[in-house]
Amino acid sequence: MKHNYLFIVGGVMSGVGKGTSSAALGLTLKAKGYNVTAIKIDPYVNVDAGTMNPVEHGEVFVTVDGDETDQDVGTYERYLETNIPKINYMTTGRVYQTVIQRERNLEYKGKCVEVVPHVPEEIIRRIEQASEEAKADITLIEVGGTVGEYQNVLFLEAARMMQVKNPKSVRFVIVSYLPVPPSVGEMKSKPTQYAIRTLNSAGIRPDFVIGRSTMAMDDPRKQKIAWICGVPKEHIISAPDAKSVYDIPDMFEDQDFADNVLKCFKLKRKGNDLKRWHAFVKKMKSSKREIKIGVVGKYFSTGDFVLSDVYISVLEAIKHAAVDQGVKAKIEWLNSEEFEKNSTKMKKILSQMDGVIVPGGFGSRGIEGKIAAIEYCRKNKVPYLGLCYGLQCAVIEFARHKLGYKDANTTEIDEKTKHPVVHIQESQKENVAKGSYGGTLRLGGYPCMLKKGTTAQKAYGGEMISERHRHRYEVNNEYRDELEKAGLVISGISPDDHFVEIVEIKDHPFFVGTQFHPEFQSRPLTPHPLFVGLMKAAKQRDGGRGK
Ligand code: GLN
């Protein structure tokens, strides 16, 4: 099988949508009948994204095989409708770790191990393995950061080496930014020209340029970049800010981007099936009725700008469910720390919500605000979905107010509580004692059995599911009977009967907490049943709120 590789690098500045561009291109290539996979390269030294603060780096996405990755991997999964495995994610730390381990194992057979070629060789080995495992006709490889940065030099060198080895099957896209300075009033292409020159000096010539900007790129500018940078004019893709990220695949289609990529690889189009995608986009655009979903989180310390990135999969899952239900989700970011300070204000805000989500989280900051919000939702029948920490907080709230254990808590917050209704998993004690935090949470997909007739079971339809996890603490089984007697329904458990995976309560329009993260498996074309369940109940509540 012939594997083709398309590297996507960034020019001028980061954060202009390389991930979404890669995913959208992948979707359109797939629609033309080819098997596509995507790889994300993050140049930092961390071995994975799990140890990074989401405020700085955005959401930590979890793959089905238990890797903690950059959020772009989630974007690929959503657009490509496929599970992206661990081998498709690499960082400088991960690559070096392997090289050093192999050196220790004498795998280099006494040779002097050098930064070049051994590090790029390991990068290439990973790319080829990922491509092989996915049986991909086309592998998209997104190199994080921007060309010219010291950090991604070795990755670009690996890409260059791959092209030398295989000139016909390695191509390059640069996603660059073209500013429109208000004082000048026209789009400037010079920074992009410099970025391309920098790429040239790494021995790489781009085959395509995606010109990101606030507005569309006109013909003279395309002509200029084509002429100065040696890229065919029809390979210069104008990518102005889109109203919705879901418009990007069509924006590319209108410029024959995927078709031209196929031509570069000497591949023929085998169809163009975007029917389901178009139906989704159409339905999204025609859904007007607004449903308010409050997300009670805490990562608000560096300003509003980071919000949607921190909870990107949650945000996406809400949107998918909204489209499914023919409504438009209006997401309200609610700060749980504020709730702690002012409970009257909290109640007023929550009473205006049609549904509430408490997403995953760690540590004590803002946890009391989350618990208070959950109490409000339980008592006032506001549809509620708790994700991971959102389940644990729901169990704490239930124990405090239904079992009367005022000090009930998770030992993550209060190690000495007399009522540790959530406590550390047995297998995690050693990790914490040793300070071994990286990659050691209970991670990835695990099966879960559903209890017949419960809200969760009815939402899923089946009785056995698999969902992705990322947690160190769990519901304490010693409290299971008491909690159940007081009315908490344990509707999902691990097949060995150990982990409480889903809890819910009766006589409530929708109140479900999951130990796993359903948001990681929601996709535009296959929305997640629990988010759909929340949205259905929220639609009813919207009526109830008297709009
Ligand atoms: N902090 C909790 C735990 O480690 C919940 C984690 C999460 O929400 N992802 O178990």
Side-chain angles (χ1 to χ4, degrees), residues 114-223:
E114 314 247 25
V115 170
V116 177
H118 296 107
V119 173
E121 273 173 11
E122 171 58 18
I123 297 167
I124 295 171
R125 188 192 66 77
R126 284 170 174 267
I127 293 172
E128 289 177 345
Q129 188 185 334
S131 187
E132 195 58 44
E133 283 180 16
K135 298 195 175 32
D137 300 301
I138 304 167
T139 301
L140 307 174
I141 306 119
E142 182 189 344
V143 183
T146 315
V147 290
E149 271 176 57
Y150 182 73
Q151 306 198 64
N152 56 26
V153 167
L154 288 171
F155 294 106
L156 294 180
E157 177 60 5
R160 189 197 63 78
M161 284 164 73
M162 272 186 94
Q163 193 172 43
V164 171
K165 208 167 103 182
N166 249 320
K168 290 196 181 127
S169 52
V170 177
R171 293 285 177 264
F172 292 89
V173 178
I174 182 165
V175 183
S176 193
Y177 189 72
L178 291 97
V180 185
S183 55
V184 183
E186 73 167 344
M187 183 183 283
K188 305 303 280 180
S189 68
K190 193 67 76 24
T192 294
Q193 294 174 35
Y194 284 135
I196 293 174
R197 291 260 159 98
T198 310
L199 189 60
N200 293 158
S201 68
I204 294 169
R205 242 189 139 147
D207 299 279
F208 294 87
V209 179
I210 300 181
R212 285 281 297 112
S213 188
T214 47
M215 54 208 282
M217 201 193 306
D218 59 1
D219 212 58
R221 251 137 295 247
K222 282 191 180 176
Q223 191 64 62

Side-chain angles (χ1 to χ4, degrees), residues 62 299 358-363 370 387-392 410 412-413 422-425 441-442 469-474 514-517 519-520:
V62 180
Y299 302 118
V358 171
F362 292 82
K370 292 178 184 175
L387 313 171
C388 201
Y389 220 17
L391 166 137
Q392 296 175 359
T410 160
E412 181 174 354
I413 309 301
V422 175
H423 67 172
I424 191 157
Q425 297 163 42
L441 291 152
R442 179 171 179 245
H469 297 69
R470 182 172 186 249
H471 63 124
R472 213 179 289 285
Y473 294 80
E474 60 172 351
T514 62
Q515 185 55 78
F516 47 82
H517 290 269
E519 68 272 24
F520 294 143

Side-chain angles (χ1 to χ4, degrees), residues 79-344:
Y79 280 77
L80 295 175
E81 286 195 276
T82 183
N83 289 343
I84 302 284
K86 185 172 185 163
I87 186 70
N88 288 40
Y89 182 63
M90 73 178 109
T91 66
T92 296
R94 187 167 285 187
V95 170
Y96 268 89
Q97 202 178 40
T98 313
V99 171
I100 292 167
Q101 196 52 54
R102 294 177 72 189
E103 183 278 325
R104 294 288 76 189
N105 297 348
L106 262 180
E107 284 180 45
Y108 293 100
K109 299 191 171 43
K111 264 199 199 137
C112 170
V113 182
E114 314 247 25
V115 170
V116 177
H118 296 107
V119 173
E121 273 173 11
E122 171 58 18
I123 297 167
I124 295 171
R125 188 192 66 77
R126 284 170 174 267
I127 293 172
E128 289 177 345
Q129 188 185 334
S131 187
E132 195 58 44
E133 283 180 16
K135 298 195 175 32
D137 300 301
I138 304 167
T139 301
L140 307 174
I141 306 119
E142 182 189 344
V143 183
T146 315
V147 290
E149 271 176 57
Y150 182 73
Q151 306 198 64
N152 56 26
V153 167
L154 288 171
F155 294 106
L156 294 180
E157 177 60 5
R160 189 197 63 78
M161 284 164 73
M162 272 186 94
Q163 193 172 43
V164 171
K165 208 167 103 182
N166 249 320
K168 290 196 181 127
S169 52
V170 177
R171 293 285 177 264
F172 292 89
V173 178
I174 182 165
V175 183
S176 193
Y177 189 72
L178 291 97
V180 185
S183 55
V184 183
E186 73 167 344
M187 183 183 283
K188 305 303 280 180
S189 68
K190 193 67 76 24
T192 294
Q193 294 174 35
Y194 284 135
I196 293 174
R197 291 260 159 98
T198 310
L199 189 60
N200 293 158
S201 68
I204 294 169
R205 242 189 139 147
D207 299 279
F208 294 87
V209 179
I210 300 181
R212 285 281 297 112
S213 188
T214 47
M215 54 208 282
M217 201 193 306
D218 59 1
D219 212 58
R221 251 137 295 247
K222 282 191 180 176
Q223 191 64 62
K224 198 184 240 169
I225 296 175
W227 173 237
I228 293 175
C229 304
V231 180
K233 202 174 117 201
E234 62 282 6
H235 286 196
I236 297 175
I237 311 297
S238 163
D241 290 344
K243 227 172 149 194
S244 156
V245 286
Y246 302 132
D247 287 330
I248 299 172
D250 272 338
M251 185 192 280
F252 288 171
E253 276 298 90
D254 291 344
Q255 300 176 72
D256 300 325
F257 189 8
D259 282 309
N260 283 327
V261 169
L262 290 184
K263 267 190 212 150
C264 273
F265 290 130
K266 304 245 172 326
L267 297 172
K268 283 210 174 70
R269 192 202 251 218
K270 293 194 275 190
N272 198 14
D273 186 6
L274 284 163
K275 250 188 262 129
R276 286 166 65 231
W277 179 260
H278 285 152
F280 167 80
V281 175
K282 196 172 160 204
K283 195 167 173 199
M284 178 194 72
K285 292 196 170 159
S286 61
S287 303
K288 299 272 184 293
R289 184 176 151 204
E290 260 184 16
I291 295 294
K292 274 195 199 163
I293 303 291
V295 180
V296 185
K298 69 160 184 175
Y299 302 118
F300 293 72
S301 51
T302 60
D304 289 349
F305 304 103
V306 292
L307 288 186
S308 52
D309 264 12
V310 171
Y311 299 121
I312 183 99
S313 294
V314 176
L315 174 77
E316 286 293 315
I318 298 171
K319 284 197 211 160
H320 308 156
V323 176
D324 182 77
Q325 288 300 300
V327 295
K328 198 171 158 185
K330 183 161 190 313
I331 294 154
E332 305 273 348
W333 303 105
L334 307 175
N335 183 348
S336 61
E337 283 179 286
E338 294 289 316
F339 286 180
E340 288 173 3
K341 290 183 213 140
N342 190 339
S343 105
T344 320

Side-chain angles (χ1 to χ4, degrees), residues 316-541:
E316 286 293 315
I318 298 171
K319 284 197 211 160
H320 308 156
V323 176
D324 182 77
Q325 288 300 300
V327 295
K328 198 171 158 185
K330 183 161 190 313
I331 294 154
E332 305 273 348
W333 303 105
L334 307 175
N335 183 348
S336 61
E337 283 179 286
E338 294 289 316
F339 286 180
E340 288 173 3
K341 290 183 213 140
N342 190 339
S343 105
T344 320
K345 197 169 155 200
M346 174 193 83
K347 288 177 186 162
K348 194 166 169 234
I349 293 173
L350 291 179
S351 71
Q352 290 304 308
M353 295 300 131
D354 302 313
V356 168
I357 291 177
V358 171
F362 292 82
S364 60
R365 186 159 63 87
I367 187 175
E368 289 302 326
K370 292 178 184 175
I371 295 171
I374 296 169
E375 183 185 5
Y376 182 90
C377 292
R378 181 175 59 80
K379 290 184 173 160
N380 295 281
K381 302 208 186 300
V382 182
Y384 172 74
L385 179 60
L387 313 171
C388 201
Y389 220 17
L391 166 137
Q392 296 175 359
C393 291
V395 170
I396 296 167
E397 189 278 319
F398 197 85
R400 284 187 190 175
H401 305 115
K402 289 293 238 179
L403 296 180
Y405 297 150
K406 287 200 178 66
D407 70 334
N409 216 329
T410 160
T411 54
E412 181 174 354
I413 309 301
D414 180 2
E415 259 185 287
K416 299 212 166 70
T417 172
K418 281 209 203 76
H419 297 101
V421 290
V422 175
H423 67 172
I424 191 157
Q425 297 163 42
E426 193 54 39
S427 58
Q428 291 290 340
K429 286 183 181 161
E430 205 186 325
N431 291 330
V432 173
K434 282 199 210 143
S436 164
Y437 292 108
T440 59
L441 291 152
R442 179 171 179 245
L443 289 168
Y446 285 97
C448 164
M449 274 166 19
L450 303 173
K451 193 168 170 184
K452 253 198 165 142
T454 56
T455 305
Q457 192 269 321
K458 284 191 226 150
Y460 278 101
E463 281 174 41
M464 189 65 123
I465 54 163
S466 171
E467 291 279 3
R468 301 185 194 177
H469 297 69
R470 182 172 186 249
H471 63 124
R472 213 179 289 285
Y473 294 80
E474 60 172 351
V475 173
N476 184 346
N477 283 330
E478 294 204 356
Y479 288 90
R480 222 149 113 173
D481 285 347
E482 268 182 274
L483 289 165
E484 281 185 301
K485 271 191 201 120
L488 191 78
V489 178
I490 295 174
S491 50
I493 46 164
S494 57
D496 64 359
D497 196 36
H498 178 78
F499 287 101
V500 171
E501 298 281 28
I502 313 178
V503 302
E504 54 188 71
I505 56 171
K506 287 187 208 131
D507 303 322
H508 192 288
F510 189 92
F511 188 101
V512 176
T514 62
Q515 185 55 78
F516 47 82
H517 290 269
E519 68 272 24
F520 294 143
Q521 301 202 135
S522 180
R523 291 172 185 163
L525 307 184
T526 43
H528 194 283
L530 293 181
F531 280 87
V532 171
L534 176 79
M535 199 55 72
K536 275 187 188 159
K539 265 166 79 177
Q540 303 284 331
R541 162 131 176 116

